[in-house]
Amino acid sequence: MVKRTLKMTLRQLLPLICCLFSAQVFGADGIYEFKVKIVPEELGESQMTPDGETLIVGRCENDSSTENFSLKAITQFKPNNSGYEEMIRPPQRTYEWKSGGDVDIRDENKKIAKFETTEKTWGNEFEVEVKVQTIIVGGKKIRIPGQAKQKAIAPKITLKSAVFSETGGGSGFKILDTFRGKPVSTPEFIKDDENEEKEQPPIGFYAGRKISYIPEFEVLPQTIETLVAWCEGNILETEKKEFSVKGGKARDTVEGKKVPPQKCHHGPEDPFDRNIWKFKIYDVELSLEEKMDISYYVLLNEGNSQDKPWKNLLKAAFDKWEIGGAENNNELMDKLSGGISKSSTYYDGWNPKENKRTSLYIDQQQSPMPLSISKMVDAFCNNNAEIICIEAAGLMEYAAGVLGNGGVISKGVNWKETGQVRNPVTGQLEDKTWWDGHAYCIFESHVHDPVPRGGGPTNMNENNYIDQKLKDGKRSDFTDPDLRSFEFK
């Protein structure tokens, strides 16, 4: 939530068209014309509109609840039909507006000066009114009250949302949670003033593709027809763009200035690297900062077009498998296979957690084999992943496609294995022969084994991997490698 405790000051002194109060005073030496004009503070932060008729009030974020608007009321008089002269006494006064009403400021002569407005909140057009008392020195001293008015506008611009999805017009992609039947909402930032803790859906981008997205702003007062907006900070930074304002709304597509680097990463890495929107109204730069705090993932390429990234899978990939920093698909595969291998407990053929000779996440009796990706990923996120080789291979095939590499396949080979097994009745060791096997992944003709049997990438072709890693004196009758087909759930 963006705090709206804001401070305003005047920015610079433009050629001024000022509202003047004029009075005629008859003194001993003739007729005196008396005027009061309102001018912006010389060192302030606001300006007039281009036609010089309306004062634009700037805004900036501040911890104080005071909204300061500084100006000067200058008194002038015209003695004996000569040119106007500024009075030396009383001194110029500075007036301040605090949110909620009028403010009294005492000058060095202890005189009270008031700055009154017809509106007290941001987002409105209003009038500045000043009241002064001036002493005219002629044949005698005459104290004259005076006042002047000036039209002013205090714009209020609020970032309402930003849409990043491909379907919404941006270059981001949806991060789904379809396995649980709870799709993450369209990836976008939504301003929520009531709940600071509300989590915004993460956004996905592909490395090397220029980022685009659609912000929407609420603009007050509704008489404003255009504004210039730009975003500063990390990969969502944009060029300055002019928005048309209709009915107090401004919405259009913007393009990022930065192309995400060609590597996988999760950002923003620095919590202070925030996206801040800035604005110009009538060519007056407002110092309001509207923040757009989001999290995002950058992946290498589009990979498998059928499966969009899934929130928990990305969390496991970056936090558990440490794929961050991968700059090409070979490095991605190495990090992925090594990460799955190191962050799981491997069982040979069955998982004792269920106390039966079957696996937790796959049914090997069906074709294609149903594989519960969602349960496996949850186990990784909770640090209790217990898997077998066919589950690891299927997980890696699916994860590689989602993370940006759809060219991965799972294969396997079977063999007869001979060894000693203890007889449960006699307790004696007996020679036994049984069928066993192993599953692994292939990418660009190289084996990647995401279980401790191979311990990650092997940099071998399939034949060498089988000969050097799988064959030994207790194994015989090796079958030809064949594909393993899954139904991902």
Side-chain angles (χ1 to χ4, degrees), residues 262-264 300 321-338 405 443-444 448 457:
Q262 193 70 30
K263 66 177 182 178
C264 296
L300 284 180
W321 306 333
E322 298 179 348
I323 70 163
E327 296 181 356
N328 53 61
N329 283 323
N330 281 312
E331 188 175 356
L332 170 64
M333 290 298 297
D334 287 353
K335 286 176 172 285
L336 184 57
S337 59
N405 182 3
F443 172 65
E444 293 187 347
H448 290 265

Side-chain angles (χ1 to χ4, degrees), residues 36 102 170 191 268 282 323 355 378 412 424:
V36 180
D102 306 330
K191 186 78 171 179
Y282 298 114
I323 70 163
N355 197 27
D378 287 347

Side-chain angles (χ1 to χ4, degrees), residues 84-100:
Y84 282 103
E85 299 179 14
E86 291 189 5
M87 294 295 296
I88 298 176
R89 296 188 311 273
Q92 295 176 354
R93 296 180 171 95
T94 296
Y95 302 85
E96 293 183 338
W97 171 34
K98 291 186 178 179
S99 179

Side-chain angles (χ1 to χ4, degrees), residues 4-9 57 62 64-71 94-106 113-122 126 128-129 154:
R4 290 197 170 84
T5 52
L6 305 167
K7 179 177 179 181
M8 7 167 216
T9 58
V57 181
N62 191 283
S64 169
S65 61
T66 302
E67 295 168 347
N68 293 321
F69 177 89
S70 297
L71 53 83
T94 296
Y95 302 85
E96 293 183 338
W97 171 34
K98 291 186 178 179
S99 179
D102 306 330
V103 174
D104 291 342
I105 303 295
R106 294 179 181 270
K114 278 193 174 183
F115 165 20
E116 299 178 350
T117 66
T118 59
E119 297 289 349
K120 304 297 190 294
T121 58
W122 286 110
F126 58 92
V128 174
E129 180 180 359

Side-chain angles (χ1 to χ4, degrees), residues 245-308:
V245 182
K246 295 181 180 180
K249 302 288 184 182
R251 187 176 188 271
D252 206 346
T253 301
V254 296
E255 283 197 348
K257 294 171 64 175
K258 302 175 183 177
V259 176
Q262 193 70 30
K263 66 177 182 178
C264 296
H265 65 278
H266 181 204
E269 298 174 0
D270 186 340
F272 297 101
D273 188 10
R274 296 177 174 176
N275 303 285
I276 298 173
W277 282 94
K278 296 189 175 181
F279 307 95
K280 275 188 178 181
I281 298 290
Y282 298 114
D283 205 36
V284 178
E285 185 171 329
L286 308 182
S287 52
L288 165 68
E289 294 181 351
E290 278 280 348
K291 295 181 175 61
M292 185 173 65
D293 294 333
I294 63 169
S295 63
Y296 58 83
Y297 295 95
V298 178
L299 307 182
L300 284 180
N301 52 49
E302 296 190 30
N304 187 340
S305 62
Q306 300 302 314
D307 294 306
K308 294 296 183 181

Side-chain angles (χ1 to χ4, degrees), residues 207-245:
R209 285 180 56 179
K210 198 166 188 178
I211 290 175
S212 66
Y213 56 100
I214 304 176
E216 180 175 348
F217 308 102
E218 183 178 74
V219 183
L220 292 174
Q222 293 191 8
T223 52
I224 294 175
E225 297 180 349
T226 62
L227 68 87
V228 175
W230 66 98
C231 183
E232 297 178 356
N234 67 57
I235 65 171
L236 300 181
E237 185 171 331
T238 70
E239 300 283 1
K240 292 181 180 179
K241 182 181 178 71
E242 183 172 279
F243 287 73
S244 295
V245 182

